[in-house]
């Protein structure tokens, strides 16, 4: 690829990523970096290409602090779900799921687990370094900062079993983690409602996180985001304190009406930990519905032994009776709130479990069992389980980054609209319409805060010498384009996106050249 020609951006209002007030100025880009920032008219054109930004806001490229687009470079079609929102960098490998390491003897088991979240992926690599090399060759639409997933790591070492690691498995897990960190992983992520992470004790997570070099991150989808939210926060804090590492609470929220309001106490506990010296952040998405695998509704014991064991239990009368009782006792499960988002065959998508139960002549639990059996566990859901007040409380907190947490690209179906509209929704609904955040504050949460938290050197601000990843948007019209019933639409109001000095989106349209690259920890 040729280097970008010099570009002078004139006439816009600058949100520089620091949270300070917007100001009018001009920005010169040369050789992929910001060469100069000056008051209007001070930078001569000197034959340079000029981009008129009148009426628009110029901001650093947005950083998605919580993405599942690990597979995006593998797709033949360009994944434009994020770049059209103004996102230039994504933190991937979240919730304990990464595409490596891959143990040869457990390749099929890992593939079946990953296919509950990702579209089918040919796992043609073993180590994290081999995966990174392969993805680098494929090229990416956005820059990506990878985490290593604890679920993937534990499965490679020990399979999907409810037991502590043996001494031999410990040695292997530690070696695989070290290799991933040496290859350039930004840290370790956990997904403690998913197998096999759900079977890991706190001590296991501390021991692994302790191996990370200074500055790397432990990002966690906690054990419980409902009745045990505060206990889960305390576990994450303990891991960070004892492992002496930064923690990132993934998609902080309170799930289930009985837990609404508990985010206040969760944030207070994090603030106390920060005041005592713990480096800690959190991210959130601006919606009241969650989205994940339908299998997470089932109790942890149901997931022991891997997919074939789960499918056998789905056909076992006694196991189902026990699971039905456990689910009935879980106050966080509200059947009317669960909608099928995507399935392997694309059947049932957009149907609620009560509706599906009526179709098959059963109740919602029967419907869940039915669709999981028919689709061999490859079912995702959208779950309407949060309160608007809690969403606003978390978004308003000064340490909250913005993360989409959308399904991986290529899954299809009727995915959560956050995949396509998270960042414009924050700017449209929570800045312009509701006034929850000022525009400079919202931009800082999308740029400098995640850049600093994850160690993304040279990004997240507009200043001379930094990477020329930028977005231009119209603050009067920026908005998400879809909703839960019809999610697959690009946003409005995001006009131009620049990566490394190259214009990659113009007039809200992707120009078709992958300019992203894998980033390395600072």
């Amino acid at each position: 690829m040729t280097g970008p020609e010099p570009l002078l951006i004139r006439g816009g209002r600058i949100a520089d990523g620091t949270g300070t007030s917007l100001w009018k100025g001009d920005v010169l880009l040369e050789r992929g970096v910001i060469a100069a920032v000056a008051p209007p008219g001070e930078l001569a054109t000197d034959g340079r290409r000029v981009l008129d930004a009148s009426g628009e806001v110029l901001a650093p490229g947005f950083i998605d602090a919580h993405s599942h687009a690990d597979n995006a470079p593998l797709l033949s079609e360009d994944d434009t779900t994020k770049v059209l929102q103004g996102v230039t960098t994504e933190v991937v490998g979240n919730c304990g799921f990464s595409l490596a390491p891959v143990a040869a003897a457990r390749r099929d088991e890992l593939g079946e687990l990953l296919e509950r979240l990702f579209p089918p992926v040919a796992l043609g690599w073993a180590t994290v370094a081999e995966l990174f090399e392969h993805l680098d060759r494929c090229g990416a639409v956005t820059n990506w900062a990878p985490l290593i997933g604890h679920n993937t790591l534990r499965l490679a070492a020990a399979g999907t079993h409810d037991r502590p690691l043996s001494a031999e498995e410990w040695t292997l897990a530690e070696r695989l983690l070290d290799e991933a960190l040496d290859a350039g992983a930004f840290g370790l992520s956990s997904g403690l409602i998913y197998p096999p992470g759900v079977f890991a004790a706190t001590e296991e997570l501390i021991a692994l996180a302790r191996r990370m070099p200074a500055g790397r991150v432990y990002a966690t989808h906690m054990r419980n985001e409902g009745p045990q939210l505060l206990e889960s926060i305390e576990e994450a804090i303990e891991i960070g304190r004892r492992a002496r590492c930064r923690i990132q609470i993934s998609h902080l929220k309170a799930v289930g009406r009985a837990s609404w309001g508990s985010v206040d106490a969760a944030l207070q506990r994090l603030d106390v930990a920060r005041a005592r010296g713990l480096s800690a952040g959190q991210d959130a998405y601006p919606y009241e519905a969650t989205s994940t695998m339908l299998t997470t509704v089932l109790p942890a014991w149901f997931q022991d032994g891997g997919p074939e064991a789960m499918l056998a239990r789905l056909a076992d009368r006694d196991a189902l009776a026990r699971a039905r009782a456990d689910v009935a006792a879980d106050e966080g499960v509200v059947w009317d709130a669960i909608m099928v988002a995507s399935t392997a065959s694309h059947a049932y998508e957009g149907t609620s479990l009560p509706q599906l139960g009526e179709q098959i002549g059963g109740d919602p639990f029967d419907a869940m069992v039915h669709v999981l059996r028919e689709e061999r566990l490859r079912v995702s859901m959208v779950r309407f389980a949060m309160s608007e007040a809690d969403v606003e409380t978390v978004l308003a907190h000064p340490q909250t980054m913005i993360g989409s947490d959308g399904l991986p690209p290529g899954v299809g179906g009727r995915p959560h609209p956050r995949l396509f509209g998270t960042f414009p929704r924050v700017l449209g609904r929570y800045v312009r319409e509701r006034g929850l955040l000022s525009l400079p504050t919202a931009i800082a949460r999308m740029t400098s805060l995640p850049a600093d938290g994850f160690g993304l050197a040279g990004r997240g601000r507009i200043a001379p010498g930094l990477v020329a990843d930028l977005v231009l948007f119209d603050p009067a019209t920026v908005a998400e384009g879809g909703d839960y019933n019809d999610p697959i639409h690009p946003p409005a109001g995001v006009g131009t996106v620049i990566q490394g000095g190259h214009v990659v989106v113009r007039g809200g349209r992707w120009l078709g050249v992958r300019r992203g690259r894998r980033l390395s920890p600072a």
Side-chain angles (χ1 to χ4, degrees), residues 232-246:
S232 298
I233 288 283
E234 291 295 345
E235 180 185 37
I237 291 171
E238 181 183 5
I239 291 168
R241 180 179 59 80
R242 292 177 55 191
R244 299 179 183 273
C245 68
R246 177 178 173 83

Side-chain angles (χ1 to χ4, degrees), residues 256-314:
R257 183 176 294 273
S259 301
W260 289 357
S262 58
V263 294
D264 295 271
L267 289 166
Q268 289 170 13
R269 295 192 184 193
L270 287 168
D271 285 340
V272 169
R274 281 185 274 254
R276 293 174 176 171
L278 181 67
S279 179
Q282 70 261 354
D283 52 72
Y285 48 82
Y287 295 89
E288 297 172 57
T290 72
S291 182
T292 190
M293 307 171 188
L294 184 60
T295 51
T296 61
V297 176
L298 293 164
W301 61 264
F302 207 96
Q303 305 182 60
D304 185 18
E308 293 305 322
M310 287 187 68
L311 289 166
R313 292 186 188 104
L314 287 170

